[in-house]
Structure formats: C-alpha cells, structure tokens
C-alpha cells in the first residue's frame, strides 16, 4: 500500500522493449484549477503506448505511459462544478500529452472526462475513449458518415476497428469488414454485413465491382493505396496513420478525400459515444486484462497485432508489486 503522498505507477525510464516498464513509487499529483484527481481503476493499452515506449517519442526522461483512464473522482480542483467526489468517470485527457494512466492516480482537466455508464465495467470503460474517439472522429467528423452509405472497415476485429464497425452500423451504414477467418463470427456479431478474409482474399478484387463510399483504415501503407480502388469517385478514405503522398495524389486525381485523422480529446463526442453504450448500440470487447504490475506482458500481447478488441490494465490497490 502507498501513503498519501506517493502512488504506484508503471514507469519507462528509457526507450526499449517491454522490459523497460517497471512498477515504482512516484509522487502523487494534486489537482489544479478546473482539474480533477481520479483514482484509476483501469487503464487502456493502445498501439501508441507500445510504439512510444519502443521509440522513446515521449522524450528522454522517465515517463508514465497511458492515455485511457477509467476511475472515480477523488478530489476536485477550484472551479470544477459539474463533477463531485465519488463520481465514476472515463476519458482520454490531455492527448497527445501523456496524462500517465498507468498509475493509481491521474490529474487532468475535468471537462475532458465524461461520466461512466452503468452498463460498463471499469475495465470496459478504460478500453473505450481513445479507440472510440478515433473511430468517431474518423468516420463521423472527417469521413462524413451518413445513413445508407457503404463503408469498408479494415482490421475490423481490432481495438479501433471493432468500435468503428458498430459506430457505422449505428448510423445506418452497410458495413464491410476485413479480418482473419477465425474472427469473422465476432465481426458479424458487431453488425458487419460482410466480412472479407484478408489472408485468402484481396479486398480490392472482392469490392471492385461493388465500390464503397467510405473507407476507414487503421493500417495504411499498401492497404491505403489499394483502398482507393474500391472507392466511388468523390468518396472518402480516412486513415488513422499518415497518408503517403502517392495515395494522396491519386485521391486528388479522382476527387477522393484521402485524409489522416489524429484523435483528440472531445467531451461532446465522448458523450455521444457513451450514449450509444447506454442504449445498447455499442459494446467494448476485451481481449485481455492484466494487473498493473504486468504492463510489460500487456505490451507484448499488443505487439502481436492479434488482439480481438481491447487490452486493459487493472489498477487495484492490492495488486502485486515489482519494485526494484
């Protein structure tokens, strides 16, 4: 157990493999103006976490990784009026600045959180913000998703993709997803109308004569270039990774909007997302749940690129420690 001035957190003191993640005692933060202190119950694990850890993109000093937070308000700073101590909340605060979700406590602006729906466990709630906001901002705000459109979602069984499928269906779209054969039943359970086995079929061949209005792509690269072949002229290609110049040029030639969208905190969008959860139109699939002390194993799982849904860390006060 920690005292009131410190907390346990997973710290990366250098770039490298999962082994650089170590559980330590660090100073506990205090909320400033319009901020809240959240006692973290669970933290989401995302590709940006393990890529940042491996590449050291968060700077040379020690960092606490993690953007997705689900927990209980422990303390409110001056000026916070809409949340109270004891409220259950979730959010992706501060992105792209690290809030340090792999820890017992997080401090962040109160209006970058929303209240947790009762339908979600803390673990499910921790898997929602970054992935769902990525899907919402890509499909709805950048892609202009509308009812009746044909939408292709790549990596439809992944953390972002499985939420993108459900969001597209909630808007009344006809959804085609790509996934390995073993995950087809899961993707169909999300509402997908068709599923293409990317290992045995070329999605470009399958859809060439049945083009789509919108492609949502968590993969990019060659997948992005070939996705233009299945888009109607004037359609939209949205990637959550940078679009290379060749793809962008081909898009411009055909009047296709080829865009890279970077997620950002958005309380209004997250409120709309949690409303879908409350109405039973969106669910979070958990691939694996690890205790905070096993953050390295969570990263190893993520780096296989085989997860179905989300990977989450539980942050319980009596979980094992591994200080060195």
């Amino acid at each position: 157990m920690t005292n009131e001035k410190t907390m346990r957190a997973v710290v990366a003191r250098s770039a490298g493999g999962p082994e650089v993640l170590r559980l330590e005692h660090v100073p506990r933060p205090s909320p400033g103006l319009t901020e809240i202190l959240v006692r973290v119950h669970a933290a989401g694990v995302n590709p940006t976490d393990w890529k940042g850890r491996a590449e050291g993109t968060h700077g040379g000093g020690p960092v606490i990784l993690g953007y997705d937070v689900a927990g209980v308000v422990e303390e409110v700073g001056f000026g916070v009026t809409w949340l109270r101590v004891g409220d259950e909340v979730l959010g992706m605060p501060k992105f792209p600045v690290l809030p340090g979700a792999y820890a017992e406590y997080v401090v962040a602006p109160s209006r970058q959180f929303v209240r947790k729906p009762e339908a979600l466990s803390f673990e499910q709630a921790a898997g929602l913000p970054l992935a769902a906001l990525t899907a919402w901002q890509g499909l709805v705000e950048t892609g202009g998703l509308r009812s009746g459109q044909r939408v292709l979602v790549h990596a439809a069984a992944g953390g972002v993709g499985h939420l993108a499928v459900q969001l597209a269906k909630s808007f009344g779209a006809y959804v085609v997803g790509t996934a390995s054969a073993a995950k087809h039943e899961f993707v169909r359970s999300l509402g997908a109308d068709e599923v293409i086995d990317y290992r045995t079929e070329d999605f470009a061949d399958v859809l060439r004569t049945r083009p789509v209005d919108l492609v949502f792509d968590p993969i990019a690269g060659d997948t992005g270039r070939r996705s233009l072949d299945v888009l109607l002229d004037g359609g939209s290609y949205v990637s959550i990774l940078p679009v290379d110049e060749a793809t962008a040029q081909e898009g411009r030639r055909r009047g296709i909007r080829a865009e890279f969208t970077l997620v950002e905190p958005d309380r209004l969008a997250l409120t709309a997302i949690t409303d879908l959860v409350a109405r039973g139109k969106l669910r979070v699939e958990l691939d694996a749940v690890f205790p905070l002390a096993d953050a390295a194993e969570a990263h190893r799982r993520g780096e296989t690129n085989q997860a179905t849904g989300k990977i989450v860390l539980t942050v319980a006060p009596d979980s094992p420690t591994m200080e060195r």
Side-chain angles (χ1 to χ4, degrees), residues 16-19 21 45-47 49-55 295-307 311:
E19 68 278 359
L21 299 177
V45 177
N46 295 286
D49 297 347
W50 58 77
K51 290 175 182 177
R53 181 219 72 225
E55 299 168 6
E297 290 304 314
H299 277 219
R300 291 186 181 98
R301 172 60 184 166
E303 288 174 325
T304 67
N305 293 319
Q306 297 300 311
I311 301 169

Side-chain angles (χ1 to χ4, degrees), residues 27-103:
R28 170 177 159 175
S30 297
L33 298 177
T34 73
E35 293 183 328
I36 58 174
L37 176 70
V38 177
R39 171 69 173 92
V40 181
H41 283 230
V45 177
N46 295 286
T48 188
D49 297 347
W50 58 77
K51 290 175 182 177
R53 181 219 72 225
E55 299 168 6
T57 53
H58 297 297
V63 295
I64 301 171
L65 296 174
Y67 292 102
D68 283 329
V69 178
V72 176
V73 177
E74 183 90 359
E75 187 179 341
V76 299
F78 184 78
V80 176
T81 58
W82 78 282
L83 288 174
R84 298 285 185 267
V85 171
D87 285 347
E88 298 180 349
V89 296
L90 62 96
M92 183 202 71
K94 298 186 178 181
F95 190 95
V97 176
L98 279 168
Y102 294 8

Side-chain angles (χ1 to χ4, degrees), residues 152-154 178 202-205 207-208 211-232 235-239 247 250-251 254 256 258:
L152 171 62
V153 177
H154 288 297
T178 64
D202 185 337
F203 71 89
D205 289 338
L207 296 175
R208 201 177 306 274
V212 300
D213 301 280
L214 172 60
V215 175
F216 181 78
D217 183 10
I219 304 172
D222 181 61
T223 299
R225 289 187 288 273
R226 293 190 299 117
S227 291
L228 300 188
D229 295 336
V230 304
L231 271 166
L232 293 164
S236 296
Y237 167 78
V238 180
S239 173
T247 301
E250 176 62 13
R254 291 182 45 198
I256 290 172

Side-chain angles (χ1 to χ4, degrees), residues 8 18 32 63 87 95 110 149 165 186 223 234 267 280-282 321:
R8 294 177 311 122
V63 295
D87 285 347
F95 190 95
S110 71
Q149 287 185 320
V165 168
F186 168 65
T223 299
R267 181 182 166 211
K281 294 184 176 294
L282 185 69
T321 59

